[in-house]
Amino acid sequence: MDRRTVLAGLAVSMVLAVFLSPFASPRPDGLERVAEDKGFLHRGEGEPALAAPVPDYAMPGVGREGLATAAAGALGTLLTFAAAAGVAAIAKRRP
Amino acid sequence: MHIPDGFLAARVWGPLWIAGAGGLWWALGAAGRALKDRAVPLMGVMAAFIFAAQMLNFPVAGGTSGHLIGGALAAVLLGPACAVAVIAVVLIVQCLVFQDGGLTALGANVVNMAFIGAALAYFIYAAARGSSRERGRILTAAAVAAWCSVVLASAACALQLALSGTSPLRVVLPAMLAVHALIGVGEAVITCLVLSFVLAVRPDLIYEGGRG
């Protein structure tokens, strides 16, 4: 994998996560819609088993909603890149 | 389709955690062998792209939205084992960092979106493509696999909800299938758009079985 392809792929991902994510549809997704229609949405609204640091793709402490989403997108893009590349490196080295 | 905490009973999510972890262990072993002459950063780029694309909910009918799962896309580019690993990494980051998908439901989400969404998608794609190297055939096979993967994952999700006593199967299965039959069209379209681009600029990135 040449460096140019990796950088181009990362740049495209970053543009999607930072500049397009604030414009994503806020409507409920398929499962949420079904849960709402069939009356079991409330089951998922209790305390989560683990309190995540950036809930609902909104960076805490960032006032404007679009910016909070964009910041969460940037963080997630870098984290998933590093995590997947790290996992791949480890998997490759394992005998 | 990320299942939150509370939707699944422990008797359902417990075994799915074991299945998810066990399957992931297998996938990582197979990915490690397949990765021999494939560079590691492509896995990272694929995960980053799928994470970003999953943030982009598109509206579908009835006040509902959907987003790419990316399992079929990853499978066409990376093969089944690496695709499972990439989707699982995305799901784990989404769960631990962004509270998208519950920690208890993580096994179920890995089974639905990584094993059905990516690995099963690969076998559908491979069967539909055969040994063809024709662009149209590759795209058609990928589109079929993308649509099927979303619909089959939603069926598995419905089954898990029914087994948990959350909603009766005769209620939840038709509802999940109906909405995901639409979302699956979005999955197929986006998968084809991205693959058309890759076929135009770097056709060598398409996974070809034994090449690894």
Side-chain angles (χ1 to χ4, degrees):
Chain A
M1 179 61 42
D2 59 289
R3 180 175 296 233
R4 248 184 68 210
T5 307
V6 170
L7 288 177
L10 257 182
V12 169
S13 309
M14 213 42 142
V15 166
L16 297 179
V18 172
F19 295 106
L20 291 187
S21 68
F23 302 102
S25 170
R27 294 172 175 185
D29 78 1
L31 174 59
E32 284 167 334
R33 161 61 58 198
V34 170
E36 199 178 318
D37 290 352
K38 304 305 173 191
F40 61 87
L41 190 61
H42 63 277
R43 289 186 190 235
E45 286 172 346
E47 278 295 297
L50 173 102
V54 191
D56 301 319
Y57 301 94
M59 189 66 84
V62 180
R64 282 174 53 194
E65 200 184 329
L67 277 182
T69 305
L75 173 71
T77 302
L78 293 177
L79 271 180
T80 44
F81 173 79
V87 163
I90 293 166
K92 194 178 170 185
R93 213 162 293 146
R94 210 176 56 176
Chain B
M1 205 188 301
H2 296 53
I3 305 173
D5 291 318
F7 275 18
L8 299 182
R11 65 175 185 280
V12 174
W13 65 250
L16 286 169
W17 246 96
I18 296 169
L24 193 53
W25 186 253
W26 164 82
L28 287 175
R33 288 187 292 278
L35 269 166
K36 283 293 186 295
D37 46 6
R38 273 182 92 80
V40 163
L42 182 58
M43 298 268 288
V45 170
M46 200 69 238
F49 180 81
I50 286 171
F51 173 85
Q54 287 203 2
M55 285 185 81
L56 305 179
N57 285 62
F58 51 84
V60 295
T64 309
S65 72
H67 63 71
L68 185 79
I69 294 177
L73 177 65
V76 171
L77 293 175
L78 302 172
C82 292
V84 164
V86 161
I87 301 293
V89 164
V90 171
L91 291 170
I92 290 166
V93 170
Q94 287 171 330
C95 169
L96 297 182
V97 182
F98 300 101
Q99 214 153 295
D100 192 12
L103 184 60
T104 56
L106 185 55
N109 286 326
V110 166
V111 167
N112 297 345
M113 287 181 271
F115 293 115
I116 297 174
L120 185 58
Y122 178 80
F123 297 110
I124 296 170
Y125 158 79
R129 179 185 165 184
S131 55
S132 172
R133 291 187 166 272
E134 198 194 322
R135 186 172 173 279
R137 180 76 174 265
I138 292 173
L139 290 176
T140 308
V144 169
W147 186 85
C148 290
S149 71
V150 172
V151 172
L152 291 172
S154 79
C157 178
L159 187 63
Q160 292 149 11
L161 291 165
L163 288 172
S164 299
T166 301
S167 186
L169 192 62
R170 66 185 155 70
V171 171
V172 73
L173 182 62
M176 284 294 280
L177 289 178
V179 63
H180 287 94
L182 291 176
I183 294 173
V185 173
E187 180 90 18
V189 168
I190 298 169
T191 301
C192 279
L193 285 176
V194 176
L195 286 176
S196 304
F197 179 74
V198 173
L199 281 166
V201 296
R202 286 291 302 272
D204 58 303
L205 289 181
I206 306 279
Y207 176 79
E208 302 290 351
R211 195 190 62 176

